[in-house]
Amino acid sequence: MNAYDLAFYLLAAMALVGAAITVLSRRLVYAAFSLLLAFLGVAGLYALLAADFLAIAQVVVYVGGILVLLLFGVMLTHRIYDTTLKSVRVQPLLGGLVAAGIAILLISVAWNTPWNTTHEIAAEPTTAKIGEAFMKHYVFPFEFVSLILLVALIGAALIGRSRTPGSGNGR
Amino acid sequence: METTITTYALILALPLVAFVVQVFFGKRLPRGGDWLVIGAICIDLLLSLRVFFGALFFSSFAGTPFVWNLRGWLGDAGTGVLALSTGILVDNVTAMMLVVVTSCSTLIFLFSTGYMAGHRRYSLFFAYLSLFAFSMLLLVLGNNLIALFMGWELVGLSSYLLIGFLFEEPVVAPDIVPASACKKAFITNRIGDTGFLLGILTLFSFTGKIAYGDVFEAVRNGAFGDHTTLLTVAGILLFCGAMAKSAQFPLHVWLPDAMAGPTPVSALIHAATMVAAGVYMVARLYPLFTPDALTFIAYVGAFTALFGATIALVMNDIKRVLAYSTISQLGYMVFGLGVGAYSAGLFHLMTHAFFKALLFLAAGSVIHAMHRAYHYAGLEWNPRSRENDAQDMRNMDGLRKAMPVTFATTAVAVLAISGVPFTSGFLSKDMILGGAFAFGFVENPQHFLIPVFGFAAAVLTAFYMARLLIMTFLGTNRMAERGQEALRESPWNMTVPLVLLAVLCGWFWYNPDPTTIFAKGWVSSFLTPPASAVPQTLVAAPADAHHAAHVAAMLVSLSCAGAGFFAAWMLGRRGAISLEHWRLSGSRVYYLLANKYYVDELYNRTVVAGMVQVSRILGWFDKVLVDGVVNATGRFQTGLSELSGFVDRYGVDGLVNALAGFVRDTGNEVRQIQTGRIQNYVVYATVGLIVLIVVTGM
Amino acid sequence: MVQLPHFLTVSALLFAAGVFAVVTRRNAVALLMGVELMLNAANLNFAAFSRFSHNSLDGQIFAMLSIVTAAAEVAVALAIVLNIYRNIETIDADQAGDLRG
């Protein structure tokens, strides 16, 4: 077991433990913070996969953006000091069965498929290459996704705007 | 004076930009953004004037027109398959059209600020006007058939939008509904456009080119070979487009109804510029028309000139009179081109644009005042009733005191359209009639009907225009006291365009000598006919024949105008001729004219009724056959159920009940799945996914 | 030696956790967290295949696009959740059934 493997197992454990707490915890705030752990673990795995830019993006977008949004969601929809907030769980048995089923299926596929792997190419920084790919070959998807983001943000602002009687009829 | 592509790109881009800005932000701009549209068109006017004067004084296009090409516009330039380029072509004709379009547009846009003031969709109106200006300039500037067609359709679109602009109003004049008038205009134009497109495709399939110059070159080099008949057919097909756009018989029916649009729209689109697009197209493609095609064109034009004029005699709606007068005048231009008086046709296009725009704007000014007067008099304005119709000339009378500027300018326009000396109309109309005279009486005696129609239309024109002037402005007003007080001159932004247009109706712009265009006028040397590309050429009267015929034609047309005026004077002052008596005497001719020769009715009976018949047959098919089958099935089912009910009642009751119970229970069971809980659906989806992968994996 | 299947296994477990959260949670925000976990699992797969299979950047590009889309999705979803909360004072996914037929 070399350092790479050790790092992998540590990060994988971090991600999975985070995910497990997220899923199982009854307190919503705990769930949100353990999601941070899971995201960071995944970011570490990206780094192991020589995807340095992706790892940074994961940290910035998921941890810095999405998670904060989720926390806001938690806070705004409940009384703010109520950190003992419970989340009711329904049909845990059914959920467990389904989750276990899909996990077993995916894992067996992962191990039983003869992957056509080409490996052992030295890792190198990807940022410049990704930038070039986005500006050349993938420029259309890039612009398109920017547009989607813009539209979604405007739409979110519009939907989320307060519609109290004093502030007009929301036009 | 060299011009560059920048000039023309700017001319095209400004109205387009104004349109886009106006559509999205017009409402938020101060004054509804009208200054933006007017500013754009003013700059266009200045640029156009620069181009025009360059062409006039420095002969910048003499021999070689300005051409700019954008390669690889359609198709693949590399493989050469359908490699088409588009571009801009500017020569003397284009320069003239640019000035006509932009100057009319500028003045009419200015007029609209007064006429449309306070309308709910004021800024949208200006957006549409700007779109129209762009489309018209595109049509004029393009150097190929496709660009021409695109501009052609775009002006059709803006015309549609503007005719229907008052779509909330149920009726704007007796029997005109804006919402159907715009559809009528659009559909009638589609019919002509089908011909136009077929003509373009015929030319393309034989020559493989679309740029005007290339097409002419290919035809000249024998692209059509021995198929000269086909070339004639192509010419007539192309002319079909012009027949619809320029409202030539029998596709003229949309133009009178197009008066449903606001009056500035009628002035700009349906009198001055867009309807002249057909004439422009014929002039632009002039080298392609064979003698036979040109003869056809001449006959259509001459007939339309007379046809429109006769209907205009008996109309009472002021805008209707002008609409039929426009049809008639467009007929003049068309037959002018048809008989080979090329420069005369285009010259008349220009002069007509100014005096007809003036007439329409004056009518708009009058209608505006009448509306206000009705409003003050507390009368319900009701276009359905004859007494309270603000557009009916019988209700006007004696407006000259209240509206002196409108009266004076209208009088100038009436003189111009009737062809009285010292006006622009005299010069251009005489040029056409001289050409027709030389063509019909001197060169081709078998076509004598063409000049006869032309002169007859001249008499009628003078008559109905004088009648309009008398009925509207002379005499005494019969309106109620309060309404009369409210009758007053329109504001400056409406009268200034009137005055400017009236000034443009003078002879001095076109020739220092008021009697003839041939001596010193710039027109005949500026607008020279292009060399024909077809094998055999028309026996068109040469220029000296025109010149020779000119004096005779002038005398005849002057006496025509005089006769028309005299008749109108009798009508107005002496009552010696009375249309009312004519109507009361139940004359068939009167009713034939008043009902516009029943063309609309004919179309309703044939084309529209034909469509209705077809739908009725389809409906019958639906009702009898399809419904029959369905009903038979139903009856069969009824019988079956009766039978089964019988069996049911007498024996299998228990079985059926058991079956029903089974179905109900199954339903209850299955219903559990549809919980409406998203979680359950996720479960189903995931289980389905697992099953799918496992099954396909095995 | 850590290979492709190891990464795929982690991804599969993350995905299963996400499915479990989506199936069992009633709170809308918690549900969203589950969706995010599933998206992360998918992205991890992209990155892993990108590294081991072709050694091209395509997988990472896809993951980037997916991250951006996820951000948009969360923004809109949370706006909707807030709006629902304002209107019916709860974000229990089962209670928000006004549109159910």
Side-chain angles (χ1 to χ4, degrees):
Chain A
M1 187 174 268
N2 55 18
Y4 186 90
D5 290 6
L6 190 67
F8 170 79
Y9 287 118
L10 279 177
L11 287 168
M14 182 170 152
L16 289 177
V17 168
I21 299 174
T22 305
V23 169
L24 296 173
S25 162
R26 291 184 159 262
R27 295 191 176 183
L28 215 45
V29 180
Y30 286 10
F33 279 107
S34 56
L35 194 59
L36 167 71
L37 203 64
F39 286 163
L40 286 176
V42 173
L45 289 177
Y46 287 155
L48 283 187
L49 286 168
D52 51 349
F53 184 70
L54 199 55
I56 301 298
Q58 165 88 0
V59 172
V60 170
V61 178
Y62 266 103
V63 179
I66 295 179
L67 197 61
V68 171
L69 264 179
L70 283 170
L71 273 170
F72 268 120
V74 173
M75 300 296 187
L76 284 174
T77 52
H78 298 87
R79 279 180 299 281
I80 198 124
Y81 298 112
D82 190 5
T83 48
T84 58
L85 184 67
K86 300 284 194 298
S87 167
V88 187
R89 212 182 297 125
V90 290
Q91 44 193 12
L93 192 64
L94 181 61
L97 278 177
V98 170
I102 198 144
I104 291 168
L105 180 78
L106 288 177
I107 292 171
S108 67
V109 168
W111 287 96
N112 293 330
T113 310
W115 299 109
N116 173 23
T117 52
T118 53
H119 185 41
E120 299 308 319
I121 293 166
E124 52 185 11
T126 57
T127 313
K129 283 185 182 170
I130 287 182
E132 200 177 322
F134 267 136
M135 282 301 134
K136 285 181 177 167
H137 192 234
Y138 287 99
V139 67
F140 179 69
F142 179 68
E143 293 300 336
F144 195 69
V145 86
S146 328
L147 193 67
I148 287 179
L149 188 61
L150 178 68
V151 171
L153 290 180
I154 293 173
L158 199 69
I159 296 171
R161 248 168 84 178
S162 160
R163 241 170 260 177
T164 48
S167 65
N169 49 4
R171 267 185 298 122
Chain B
M1 288 261 287
E2 283 299 307
T3 49
T4 59
I5 179 60
T6 324
T7 315
Y8 305 113
L10 212 57
I11 287 180
L12 270 181
L14 283 170
L16 184 63
V17 170
F19 163 68
V20 172
V21 173
Q22 190 70 1
V23 160
F24 288 109
F25 308 107
K27 271 191 171 172
R28 298 179 186 194
L29 294 176
R31 287 187 53 86
D34 54 3
W35 50 272
L36 183 74
V37 171
I38 293 177
I41 201 74
C42 275
I43 299 175
D44 267 13
L45 173 62
L46 294 178
L47 292 171
S48 304
L49 282 175
R50 182 173 168 271
V51 172
F52 179 72
F53 287 127
L56 189 58
F57 296 126
F58 301 92
S59 310
S60 34
F61 307 123
T64 48
F66 174 88
V67 179
W68 178 83
N69 264 310
L70 177 69
R71 293 199 185 285
W73 173 53
L74 274 182
D76 189 347
T79 59
V81 182
L82 201 77
L84 303 178
S85 59
T86 187
I88 280 173
L89 167 82
V90 186
D91 59 8
N92 287 349
V93 178
T94 318
M96 185 205 85
M97 288 298 289
L98 282 178
V99 169
V100 170
V101 171
T102 51
S103 57
C104 284
S105 300
T106 309
L107 293 174
I108 292 169
F109 287 8
L110 181 62
F111 184 88
S112 304
T113 58
Y115 191 84
M116 297 301 288
H119 192 276
R120 217 156 46 79
R121 281 174 277 118
Y122 183 77
S123 56
L124 193 63
F125 183 76
F126 278 89
Y128 288 164
L129 284 181
S130 205
L131 174 66
F132 169 75
F134 164 72
S135 322
M136 192 69 204
L137 292 167
L138 177 69
L139 190 159
V140 169
L141 281 170
N143 78 338
N144 60 68
L145 293 166
I146 305 288
L148 176 68
F149 190 71
M150 280 164 55
W152 192 265
E153 294 301 315
L154 276 172
V155 288
L157 169 71
S158 26
S159 151
Y160 168 82
L161 291 171
L162 285 164
I163 293 173
F165 192 76
L166 303 172
F167 61 85
E168 313 104 322
E169 313 245 344
V171 191
V172 289
D175 70 1
I176 299 187
V177 181
S180 3
C182 59
K183 277 185 275 181
K184 187 171 176 181
F186 205 69
I187 293 169
T188 314
N189 271 300
R190 286 295 75 66
I191 296 170
D193 291 349
T194 312
F196 188 24
L197 195 57
L198 285 176
I200 291 177
L201 292 176
T202 312
L203 286 178
F204 181 72
S205 63
F206 274 88
T207 62
K209 300 278 196 290
I210 55 166
Y212 301 134
D214 297 348
V215 174
F216 298 159
E217 194 60 39
V219 171
R220 195 169 287 132
N221 293 337
F224 275 81
D226 296 330
H227 305 290
T228 38
T229 320
L230 211 53
L231 193 56
T232 305
V233 171
I236 290 175
L237 282 171
L238 288 170
F239 180 63
C240 277
M243 271 159 85
K245 197 62 86 195
S246 291
Q248 297 297 293
F249 181 85
L251 295 179
H252 65 280
V253 288
W254 64 274
L255 188 59
D257 284 30
M259 299 303 132
T263 307
V265 172
S266 311
L268 177 61
I269 301 187
H270 306 119
T273 51
M274 185 191 84
V275 287
V279 180
Y280 169 76
M281 185 260 271
V282 174
R284 179 52 84 202
L285 303 177
Y286 205 65
L288 290 178
F289 291 102
T290 57
D292 292 338
L294 282 176
T295 312
F296 176 79
I297 291 173
Y299 269 104
V300 169
F303 180 73
T304 309
L306 185 62
F307 175 85
T310 51
I311 299 180
L313 289 183
V314 298
M315 290 291 120
N316 287 315
D317 183 319
I318 186 167
K319 283 179 77 179
R320 281 276 174 108
V321 175
L322 294 177
Y324 281 104
S325 154
T326 307
I327 293 178
S328 165
Q329 295 297 313
L330 289 166
Y332 266 108
M333 298 172 211
V334 168
F335 90 73
L337 291 174
V339 299
Y342 177 88
S343 35
L346 284 172
F347 182 35
H348 196 59
L349 190 162
M350 185 173 189
T351 56
H352 172 260
F354 294 134
F355 61 66
K356 188 49 71 63
L358 169 53
L359 281 169
F360 265 108
L361 292 188
S365 169
V366 166
I367 294 169
H368 199 64
M370 289 291 286
H371 273 293
R372 199 173 42 218
Y374 275 125
H375 184 71
Y376 274 92
L379 287 170
E380 190 67 27
W381 172 60
N382 179 5
R384 280 185 207 277
S385 87
R386 173 195 154 339
E387 277 73 27
N388 292 339
D389 180 0
Q391 301 193 8
D392 195 320
M393 294 192 296
R394 284 169 294 188
N395 298 334
M396 294 175 178
D397 274 331
L399 294 179
R400 75 179 178 286
K401 289 211 186 77
M403 311 180 74
V405 179
T406 310
F407 167 65
T409 51
T410 312
V412 170
V414 166
L415 294 180
I417 195 173
S418 310
V420 172
F422 300 104
T423 61
S424 61
F426 171 75
L427 300 173
S428 60
K429 205 167 183 175
D430 266 18
M431 224 170 147
I432 291 181
L433 289 174
F437 196 94
F439 175 83
F441 291 152
V442 182
E443 305 283 333
N444 307 291
Q446 74 273 29
H447 296 312
F448 70 95
L449 267 181
I450 293 175
V452 168
F453 280 8
F455 286 117
V459 179
L460 299 179
T461 306
F463 175 76
Y464 68 72
M465 288 320 295
R467 171 173 173 261
L468 182 143
L469 193 68
I470 291 167
M471 285 182 77
T472 311
F473 291 103
L474 303 183
T476 45
N477 193 284
R478 287 189 295 273
M479 193 183 268
E481 192 85 352
R482 288 200 56 198
Q484 284 202 12
E485 283 164 18
L487 278 176
R488 73 176 94 88
E489 189 56 85
S490 302
W492 69 270
N493 49 4
M494 290 168 76
T495 50
V496 165
L498 292 179
V499 173
L500 288 177
L501 282 169
V503 171
L504 284 170
C505 290
W507 83 94
F508 37 84
W509 300 101
Y510 312 100
N511 188 8
D513 175 3
T515 54
T516 171
I517 201 72
F518 288 100
K520 295 197 188 77
W522 50 270
V523 174
S524 49
S525 57
F526 189 68
L527 303 170
T528 47
S532 180
V534 295
Q536 83 272 42
T537 46
L538 184 71
V539 200
D544 51 337
H546 280 221
H547 209 147
H550 176 71
V551 178
M554 182 175 78
L555 292 177
V556 177
S557 85
L558 269 180
S559 35
C560 285
F565 278 138
F566 181 70
W569 181 70
M570 298 281 279
L571 174 80
R573 280 287 175 246
R574 291 291 172 83
I577 307 173
S578 164
L579 290 179
E580 198 66 11
H581 285 158
W582 198 20
R583 182 172 74 83
L584 292 176
S585 71
S587 161
R588 291 243 173 102
V589 180
Y590 180 86
Y591 282 102
L592 185 66
L593 294 179
N595 287 300
K596 306 135 204 165
Y597 292 98
Y598 297 101
V599 175
D600 276 326
E601 283 76 6
L602 181 73
Y603 288 167
N604 279 339
R605 291 267 168 81
T606 55
V607 183
V608 178
M611 295 299 290
V612 172
Q613 269 307 323
V614 170
S615 0
R616 211 170 270 159
I617 290 170
L618 289 177
W620 177 85
F621 180 80
D622 214 33
K623 211 179 276 171
V624 175
L625 284 184
V626 179
D627 284 10
V629 171
V630 172
N631 284 343
T633 321
R635 228 166 270 140
F636 177 69
Q637 294 278 1
T638 320
L640 212 63
S641 346
E642 266 164 22
L643 186 71
S644 101
F646 179 80
V647 177
D648 206 31
R649 266 196 301 280
Y650 294 97
V652 217
D653 224 8
L655 182 65
V656 171
N657 274 348
L659 198 70
F662 173 71
V663 170
R664 190 185 57 229
D665 292 351
T666 319
N668 273 341
E669 290 297 317
V670 175
R671 212 173 62 177
Q672 302 297 316
I673 301 174
Q674 301 287 336
T675 54
R677 281 191 182 164
I678 193 156
Q679 277 100 347
N680 292 356
Y681 294 144
V682 173
V683 171
Y684 304 146
T686 321
V687 171
L689 179 70
I690 295 173
V691 169
L692 202 66
I693 295 177
V694 170
V695 168
T696 50
M698 285 192 298
Chain C
M1 186 65 198
V2 172
Q3 281 292 345
L4 179 60
H6 293 82
F7 284 97
L8 296 187
T9 308
V10 175
S11 152
L13 289 171
L14 280 176
F15 192 82
V19 169
F20 183 76
V22 170
V23 171
T24 58
R25 294 290 193 179
R26 298 183 75 172
N27 185 302
V29 178
L31 232 142
L32 271 180
M33 293 180 188
V35 173
E36 291 310 316
L37 276 178
M38 286 154 79
L39 278 170
N40 259 282
N43 283 348
L44 188 57
N45 265 9
F46 273 129
F49 281 120
S50 165
R51 170 72 175 150
F52 288 105
S53 200
H54 293 288
N55 202 44
S56 71
L57 281 176
D58 290 355
Q60 294 190 31
I61 304 269
F62 274 110
M64 285 302 302
L65 297 177
S66 153
I67 287 177
V68 177
T69 320
E73 171 249 326
V74 166
V76 174
L78 278 172
I80 293 174
V81 166
L82 286 185
N83 222 346
I84 290 177
Y85 178 72
R86 249 202 311 271
N87 284 325
I88 63 173
E89 295 290 318
T90 177
I91 53 167
D92 186 333
D94 284 354
Q95 301 293 313
D98 286 1
L99 287 180
R100 190 188 299 170

